[in-house]
């Protein structure tokens, strides 16, 4: 499985021969200025919630690639209203098997509205199984006891968790989240993009180390084989 980091909470994951893009926020992210969104391949675009820093580039990339947008019902309705018809709506707790693997939409504790202020449904995370691996993409969330339900149903091999605090979990809570989901390899997201969420990288990595866990902080543009 190949993972490419596009900054903030945006990752491309190559799984089951397909390219899945999560939460594209690139053209408005000064840290991602070297990423060319017209070169990003996407068969699917997963959107965790309606905030601008998770979907600002979704329609542009979906329009060019005709990627299927996967998100909660209201997100897919919104995409449809904006002329994108290749959408797969889900809701919290539901499973669906796609051509690359199986997805469960899981709960996130956050808020969700579109940039124009309209309702975007509930925020969500995704558990994705394919290529003999299972991973959790939490989206923006606080630490929540609901995470303990995830390993009741899934063996999580690695997880994308926010660590920047202020809008989401901080590093300390993300370590606890990793324990809740029984996962030893976390890829950090939602840090450094804005002044509110800058973190000390060494301290974050050490905090996970002390708990016997690995925190990977990818460089924007970097590809990871996992
Ligand atoms: Ni958000
Ligand atoms: Mn966010």
């Amino acid at each position: 499985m190949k993972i490419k980091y596009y900054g903030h909470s945006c990752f491309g994951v190559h799984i089951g021969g397909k390219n899945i893009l999560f939460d594209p926020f690139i053209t408005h992210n000064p840290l991602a200025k070297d990423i060319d969104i017209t070169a990003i391949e996407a068969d699917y675009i997963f959107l965790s919630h309606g905030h601008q820093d998770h979907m600002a580039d979704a329609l542009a990339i979906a329009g060019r690639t005709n990627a299927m947008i996967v998100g909660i019902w209201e997100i897919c309705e919104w995409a449809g209203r904006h002329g994108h018809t290749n959408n797969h709506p889900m809701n919290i707790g539901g499973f669906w098997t796609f051509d690359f693997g199986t997805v469960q939409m899981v709960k996130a504790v956050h808020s969700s509205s579109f940039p124009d202020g309209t309702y975007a449904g509930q925020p969500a995370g995704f558990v994705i199984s394919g290529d003999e691996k299972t991973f959790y993409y939490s989206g923006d969330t606080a630490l929540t006891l609901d995470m303990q339900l995830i390993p009741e149903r899934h063996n999580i091999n690695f997880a994308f968790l926010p660590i920047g605090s202020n809008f989401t979990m901080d590093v300390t809570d993300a370590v606890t989240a990793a324990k809740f989901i029984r996962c030893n390899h976390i890829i950090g997201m939602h840090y450094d993009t804005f002044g509110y969420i800058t973190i000390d990288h060494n301290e974050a990595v050490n905090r996970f180390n002390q708990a016997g866990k690995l925190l990977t902080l990818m460089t924007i543009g970097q590809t990871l084989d996992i």
Side-chain angles (χ1 to χ4, degrees), residues 92-113:
I92 310 292
F95 287 79
W96 188 258
T97 298
F98 295 86
D99 55 1
F100 60 85
T102 299
V103 176
Q104 185 184 22
M105 178 173 273
V106 295
K107 193 172 169 184
V109 175
H110 192 65
S111 62
S112 185
S113 55

Side-chain angles (χ1 to χ4, degrees), residues 8 53-54 140 190:
H8 199 49
D53 61 315
H54 297 264
D140 282 2
H190 215 272

Side-chain angles (χ1 to χ4, degrees), residues 153-165:
R153 193 72 188 260
H154 305 279
N155 289 314
I156 303 293
N157 299 110
F158 65 96
F160 300 92
L161 297 180
I163 55 174
S165 198

Side-chain angles (χ1 to χ4, degrees), residues 35-115:
I35 303 291
D36 174 11
I37 68 158
T38 67
I40 295 175
E41 293 173 73
D43 301 298
Y44 294 89
I45 299 174
F46 278 63
L47 300 177
S48 65
H49 64 297
H51 289 159
Q52 199 205 20
D53 61 315
H54 297 264
M55 43 61 92
D57 294 310
L59 290 174
I61 297 170
R64 175 176 55 79
T65 58
N66 197 33
M68 176 180 279
I69 290 180
V70 180
I72 206 157
W73 177 266
E74 289 81 358
I75 298 250
C76 290
E77 284 273 288
W78 165 86
R81 285 199 303 277
H82 287 79
H84 190 70
T85 53
N86 188 20
N87 305 306
H88 184 101
M90 296 184 72
N91 216 315
I92 310 292
F95 287 79
W96 188 258
T97 298
F98 295 86
D99 55 1
F100 60 85
T102 299
V103 176
Q104 185 184 22
M105 178 173 273
V106 295
K107 193 172 169 184
V109 175
H110 192 65
S111 62
S112 185
S113 55
F114 293 110

